[in-house]
C-alpha cells in the first residue's frame, strides 16, 4: 500500500483495521518512531529539523515552519503544515485521518490531535473510525488542549489552554472548557 492508496481508502469512509491497512499503519508507525527518535534525542537547528520533518511528513515543509521538540506522531504521512506554523514542545499527532494546520497558526505545549477513534461496537472495537482535523489560518491553540477527529477550527480562532475540542470552532471565536464551548468573539483588530 502507498500513501496515495491509503488516502484513497480513507476517502471511502470505511473503518481502519483490515489486514492491509493495519500492516501499512504498522509500517508507517515504525518509520515515524525512527524519525521522531532522531528528532527528539539530540539537538538540531531549525534548518536540520525542517529536513527531518520533510522526511517524516513526506514532502518539503515550508522554510518558515518552526518546531520545538520533542514531537510525537504515530504516522506522520498525513500531516500538512502551512507557512509560518509554529509547534511547541511535547505535541502529539495521531494523523492517520489527516491533520492540516493553516498558515500562521501556533500550537502550544502538549497539544493532542486525535484523528482516530475505536468503533463503539464491542464485537468490532479493534476497528477504527477516522476523520480529519483542519486548523485554519492564524489560529492559536493553547497548551494541553485536545482536538478530536472531524473538527475544523476556523481562521483566527483561539482554543484556550486545556480545552477539549469536540465540535467545529467558528472563525474569530475563543473556545474553552471540557468540552470546549464558545467564550468570546474576536474582532478584526484582535479585541474580544
Amino acid at each position: 500500500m502507498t500513501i496515495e492508496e491509503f488516502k484513497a481508502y480513507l476517502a471511502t469512509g470505511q473503518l481502519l483495521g483490515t489486514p492491509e491497512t493495519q500492516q501499512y499503519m504498522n509500517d508507517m508507525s515504525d518509520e515515524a518512531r525512527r524519525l521522531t527518535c532522531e528528532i527528539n534525542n539530540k539537538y538540531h537547528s531549525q534548518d536540520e529539523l525542517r529536513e527531518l520533518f520533510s522526511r517524516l511528513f513526506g514532502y518539503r515543509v515550508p522554510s518558515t515552519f518552526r518546531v520545538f521538540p520533542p514531537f510525537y506522531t504515530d504516522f506522520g504521512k498525513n500531516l500538512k503544515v502551512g507557512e509560518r506554523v509554529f509547534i511547541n514542545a511535547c505535541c502529539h499527532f495521531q494523523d492517520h485521518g489527516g491533520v492540516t494546520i493553516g498558515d500562521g497558526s501556533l500550537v502550544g505545549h502538549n497539544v493532542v490531535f486525535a484523528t482516530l477513534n475505536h468503533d463503539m461496537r464491542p464485537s468490532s472495537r479493534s476497528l477504527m473510525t477516522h476523520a480529519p482535523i483542519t486548523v485554519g489560518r492564524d489560529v492559536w491553540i493553547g497548551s494541553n488542549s485536545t482536538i478530536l477527529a472531524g473538527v475544523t477550527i476556523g481562521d483566527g480562532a483561539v482554543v484556550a489552554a486545556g480545552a477539549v475540542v469536540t465540535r467545529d470552532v467558528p472563525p474569530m471565536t475563543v473556545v474553552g472548557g471540557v468540552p470546549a464551548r464558545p467564550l468570546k468573539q474576536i474582532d478584526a483588530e484582535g479585541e474580544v
Side-chain angles (χ1 to χ4, degrees):
M1 180 171 266
T2 65
I3 187 62
E4 292 80 18
E5 291 169 334
F6 183 77
K7 287 179 181 179
Y9 183 88
L10 291 176
T12 69
Q14 296 179 68
L15 295 174
L16 292 171
T18 64
E20 186 178 22
T21 60
Q22 191 63 51
Q23 183 60 53
Y24 183 72
M25 290 165 58
N26 288 342
D27 292 346
M28 292 299 96
S29 177
D30 285 346
E31 181 180 336
R33 284 184 289 117
R34 276 193 299 276
L35 284 165
T36 54
C37 281
E38 188 173 344
I39 289 166
N40 295 336
N41 290 316
K42 78 177 222 182
Y43 172 79
H44 298 282
S45 70
Q46 286 296 314
D47 286 337
E48 291 168 335
L49 285 170
R50 282 187 283 274
E51 286 300 317
L52 289 165
F53 275 89
S54 293
R55 288 173 43 206
L56 179 62
F57 295 171
Y59 65 90
R60 172 80 37 213
V61 299
S63 63
T64 56
F65 172 63
R66 293 181 59 235
V67 62
F68 289 174
F71 176 93
Y72 304 98
T73 182
D74 53 3
F75 193 69
K77 295 293 190 253
N78 208 1
L79 208 165
K80 182 168 177 28
V81 295
E83 296 286 341
R84 303 175 324 284
V85 166
F86 173 70
I87 299 173
N88 219 322
C90 298
C91 290
H92 297 254
F93 287 81
Q94 182 193 58
D95 63 293
H96 299 78
V99 175
T100 301
I101 302 176
D103 295 345
S105 289
L106 310 171
V107 180
H109 289 91
N110 207 40
V111 173
V112 173
F113 292 83
T115 66
L116 297 179
N117 206 347
H118 289 280
D119 194 58
M120 292 302 288
R121 297 167 293 183
S123 62
S124 57
R125 185 78 32 92
S126 64
L127 298 176
M128 290 170 280
T129 62
H130 53 87
I133 294 170
T134 304
V135 176
R137 298 170 60 101
D138 302 311
V139 170
W140 176 17
I141 301 175
S143 296
N144 296 304
S145 297
T146 299
I147 316 301
L148 296 182
V151 166
T152 295
I153 300 174
D155 293 349
V158 175
V159 175
V164 177
V165 184
T166 61
R167 294 185 204 162
D168 290 354
V169 177
M172 303 300 283
T173 302
V174 178
V175 298
V178 180
R181 59 180 171 51
L183 301 175
K184 302 175 187 176
Q185 290 299 120
I186 306 167
D187 68 20
E189 278 72 49
E191 302 291 323
V192 290

